[in-house]
Amino acid sequence: MLSSEITRKLRVNNKKIFEKAFPKTINLYEQAYLIKKNIVPFQKKFKQTPNQIGISFDLKGELSGRVISILELPHFSDAQQKLSIQTLHMESINILIGKFLTELESKINIMATLTFPKICDHESLANSKINSLTFEYQFDALYYLIKNDHQYNCHIYLLANSAHILEV
Amino acid sequence: MEEAKQNCRVLIVDDSDFSRKSISEMLNEPKYEIIGEAANGREAINVLKESSADVILLDIVMPEMSGLELAEFITQNFTDINIIMMSSLAQENIVIDAISAGACDFLQKPFDKKTLVNSVDKVFASIEVE
């Protein structure tokens, strides 16, 4: 059985690998782009601004937890624009997390998948029991989603536990 | 006199409207005919009951009926159709599952036009040879 110090060092090292596994840029069929701005530790609070749209995916397998993505829309967005951006948002985050999980498997042999996305709003997030839980891996990744010269801020929260102690 | 080369009839199955439109645009060439689009397995089966397809581009993670389940159904019931699976996930066991379910090729999303066209052409050519 590993000592607590070795376990702690392994976890710190794995967190660095997690951060690096987030793709820097994604070209979405030449129609849109996702560009990474930064990654910070999750602050236990979902950033609240008006005109947000949110989606969540469950993680399954050797990583269990959730990915929540909150995109900020400009004030002028009408219902049609919102729907159009939401479909792009869902697919772009699906692709980003898929690439992230694929990279994780190649680097540290964690096998995890993600479920079909669900739409979530800020109220459901604020009331979710997820706020009371602590996760081994907690990240707040800020990306820019760019389409047709419009840029949208997108906070992607990754909250996960690993099934076993990971060894590099 | 040369026989007219048959164009490749393609069905796109993906729950993402954005993906379906992007893929359809990439295949907007005379050698391809998009016979339909479907957002899930049930819709895909309904399309196949009405129209013939040579190649199906099939997403794995979908609601109601997964791409793997649909692939197995197609392999058993529509033997002339070849399947190209698509997914944002490309771990080894995902690819193995896709091939085991009957896929002829696997594309990790996102892919560019050249990669998509090469895959569809390769799979279609293998049908013509048979």
Side-chain angles (χ1 to χ4, degrees), chain A residues 3-10:
Chain A
S3 72
S4 59
E5 179 58 17
I6 293 174
T7 305
R8 188 193 68 80
K9 284 182 179 171
L10 279 170

Side-chain angles (χ1 to χ4, degrees), chain A residues 113-129:
Chain A
T113 59
L114 68 169
T115 60
F116 182 73
K118 291 177 267 195
I119 292 174
C120 60
D121 57 31
H122 188 269
E123 201 175 315
S124 64
L125 281 175
N127 295 331
S128 169
K129 67 177 179 183

